[in-house]
Amino acid sequence: MPMSQSFKDRLFPITEQLVEHYGSPFHIYDEVGIRETGENLKKLFSGVEGFREYYAVKALPNPSILQLMFDMGFGFDCSSIGELQLSRQVGARGEEIMFTSNNTDQTEFRIAEEEGGCVLNLDDISLIEKVPVFPELICFRYNPGPRRTGNVIIGNPVEAKYGLSHEQVIDAYRLAQQRGAKRFGLHTMVASNELDYTYMVETAKMVLEIAELVESELGIKFEFVNIGGGVGIPYEPDQEALDIDSMAAEIETLFSAFREKHNYVPRMYMESGRFMTGPHGCLVTSAINHKNIYRNYIGVDACMSALMRPALYGAYHHIDVIGKEAAAKDQIYDVAGSLCENNDKFAVQRELPKIDEGDILVIHDTGAHGHAMGFQYNAKLRSKELLLRADGSVELIRREETLDDYFATLTFTEDQFSPKQSKG
Ligand SMILES: *Cc1c(COP(=O)(O)O)cnc(C)c1O
């Protein structure tokens, strides 16, 4: 179940009108689907004390989407100053924001402390002395290294640049105590697009074990453990969805057991990005050309500036052709954009119905890591974003880029500099 039937039923009949009104290409997101997924998540994890989702802003950094998350009581996971500012713009403050930066610099620390601060999630032990004003509440990101075999996308934790090594964990919390920290959290992120729920349960088990270990050494009672993001969605039609019900039930059991044994239990946080919005967005693009050479190509008006995942990961995104959903898929096409990059293709050797110029293609599951990943290579500009509201109305929530945006960084005050000539 990638893109839901309900989203299709509400979107497909109005797609032609939307293309006429707004022009293509655009990403469009589904308020109803996002809310349903969020409410379901809260319900499923309601048996886990203090459960909270911190939406991973990088997945779909649009204020209108963040507002939906904030309305559901979610916090935000940020890893850059821009993401912090977006979260603060919708009103999030303090413990509603996790700042999980990697290779953090002083400007990031300074801005993290402003406007009511946020939860600092430190990526390394060497950063402890670099935090300008050490907060009372501190979190560290843990990298299990050889203790976990990585999931398919994120790879082997030994090769991952994130987090503290296992051997550093105790020292890190001790040093934080010495700098005045009194409240503690623990974070990890060892999966990406994981479809096996048991892997996520293992992660919850792992963070509770580390919490136990640190408590036994330093007497720290953790306020929260954060299992990160990485809950996957099925992109391919025959893939099975992650069994989120079992994941929630088994995690609840783990946390209850921890409470029994320790007489307290940390709150559980997670940072889903893809799971929250991935299936609730799609890229709508028009067929503008076709060519038949060694392969048959359909040229569309979107290119990889709107969706990098196929080029970057060889990712599959399902495609429907409006008005031809039931037609026989008796053609084989590469669906290509206009970039001077041969991997600028949304589909390779895909069975599709016969496509005519002017047909509208819906590329599924672009609600996370879609628009946000786009770049301006080849001076190709990023597309607009729309939001399909619960009442059936549609809102423009980001305009497309213009050439003025592209040239904006070429407008600057002249600055010529003559470095001193080195002697010898
Ligand atoms: C990317 C990221 C997430 C979200 O990952 P999804 O795969 O979208 O769920 C969460 N936490 C951190 C620290 C991340 O870098």
Side-chain angles (χ1 to χ4, degrees), residues 104-113 120 122 130-132:
T104 317
D105 66 27
Q106 285 297 311
T107 311
E108 289 174 316
F109 280 130
R110 190 169 47 71
I111 291 178
E113 280 167 6
L120 263 191
L122 292 183
K130 294 182 181 168
V131 179

Side-chain angles (χ1 to χ4, degrees), residues 78-114:
C78 304
S79 54
S80 63
I81 292 166
E83 291 178 358
L84 264 176
Q85 286 179 343
L86 278 169
S87 306
R88 286 172 177 165
Q89 272 170 23
V90 301
R93 291 288 179 278
E95 291 177 35
E96 291 163 337
I97 302 172
M98 294 276 304
F99 188 60
T100 300
S101 55
N102 169 255
N103 196 8
T104 317
D105 66 27
Q106 285 297 311
T107 311
E108 289 174 316
F109 280 130
R110 190 169 47 71
I111 291 178
E113 280 167 6
E114 289 172 359

Side-chain angles (χ1 to χ4, degrees), residues 127-139:
L127 294 173
I128 297 172
E129 60 182 41
K130 294 182 181 168
V131 179
V133 184
F134 209 84
E136 191 183 80
L137 171 63
I138 195 77
C139 182

Side-chain angles (χ1 to χ4, degrees), residues 197-206 246-247 250-251 254:
Y197 85 90
T198 64
Y199 196 86
M200 307 308 295
V201 175
E202 280 301 309
T203 300
K205 191 161 163 241
M206 177 182 84
S246 299
M247 172 179 157
E250 291 182 28
I251 286 180
L254 286 176

Side-chain angles (χ1 to χ4, degrees), residues 161-213:
K161 65 171 180 165
Y162 308 104
L164 302 169
S165 75
H166 186 80
E167 290 67 30
Q168 294 170 330
V169 167
I170 303 292
D171 284 343
Y173 285 96
R174 186 183 291 120
L175 287 169
Q177 281 180 317
Q178 286 167 6
R179 282 215 62 186
K182 302 228 159 16
R183 304 168 54 207
F184 301 91
L186 173 68
H187 172 275
T188 200
M189 165 105 187
V190 287
S192 183
N193 199 25
E194 181 60 62
L195 287 172
D196 177 359
Y197 85 90
T198 64
Y199 196 86
M200 307 308 295
V201 175
E202 280 301 309
T203 300
K205 191 161 163 241
M206 177 182 84
V207 286
L208 286 177
E209 281 167 8
I210 299 300
E212 200 165 33
L213 173 75

